[in-house]
Amino acid sequence: MKYKRLSPLMLSLLSTALMSLGFGSCRSKEGLDRVRVQEEIGRRQARLDGEIAEKAAQLARMRSDYENIGRGECVYGGPNTMREAIAAMEKRQAEQRKEMEKAMQSVSNEIDSLQNEQQRVPENVLNEFGKNKK
């Protein structure tokens, strides 16, 4: 049985074909990984930006509602019941203000936590990428 040797030209062509398909180097995979990581960072940043904008709009609505507490409220009654009605109205408004302040503080805390997460996202993703690479 006779073995046929491949010519150097044929070996060069096969090598070129394999290199053009990306089998000759790890760089193509690293490039794809980096692109995937950058896309992941972009998606996370976009999601966080959307959540922050939504929470900021909610906080603006809450502030507007807070400022409108007690506006346009009238108290009717005779001279004997006027003090009691005003005291009840002021008590109710104070309770509403406390509830709104708590709600606004919680939304503000959520915005702060989202902003902190937004600042940490690229570092976390790149650190994970570095661990996976090793």
Side-chain angles (χ1 to χ4, degrees):
M1 210 171 190
K2 187 175 180 184
Y3 290 103
K4 184 176 180 183
R5 290 182 44 148
L6 296 176
S7 69
L9 178 63
M10 182 60 83
L11 289 175
S12 297
L13 290 174
L14 287 173
S15 174
T16 304
L18 288 174
M19 291 296 287
S20 66
L21 293 174
F23 292 111
S25 131
C26 294
R27 288 186 182 174
S28 62
K29 185 177 182 193
E30 287 179 14
L32 292 175
D33 288 343
R34 289 214 183 267
V35 167
R36 188 169 30 98
V37 167
Q38 288 174 348
E39 288 174 355
E40 171 91 17
I41 290 172
R43 282 193 300 271
R44 284 187 181 182
Q45 292 287 1
R47 179 185 59 84
L48 289 173
D49 286 340
E51 287 182 20
I52 289 171
E54 181 181 314
K55 294 293 180 183
Q58 180 182 3
L59 186 61
R61 285 191 306 270
M62 292 175 97
R63 284 185 181 149
S64 175
D65 292 343
Y66 180 81
E67 291 172 358
N68 289 331
I69 290 176
R71 285 192 181 167
E73 193 169 334
C74 296
V75 178
Y76 296 104
N80 297 335
T81 59
M82 192 61 126
R83 287 189 195 126
E84 294 170 3
I86 290 174
M89 178 186 69
E90 289 174 351
K91 183 180 177 184
R92 185 178 62 251
Q93 289 176 2
E95 290 173 0
Q96 288 176 344
R97 284 191 176 95
K98 284 181 185 178
E99 290 174 10
M100 288 297 291
E101 286 172 356
K102 287 180 185 177
M104 288 189 311
Q105 185 62 37
S106 69
V107 171
S108 179
N109 290 342
E110 289 176 11
I111 290 173
D112 290 342
S113 68
L114 287 171
Q115 288 174 340
N116 288 340
E117 184 181 345
Q118 186 178 31
Q119 291 172 355
R120 287 190 319 254
V121 163
E123 296 170 7
N124 290 343
V125 172
L126 292 177
N127 289 339
E128 289 174 12
F129 177 72
K131 289 177 185 175
N132 291 338
K133 186 178 174 184
K134 293 178 183 178

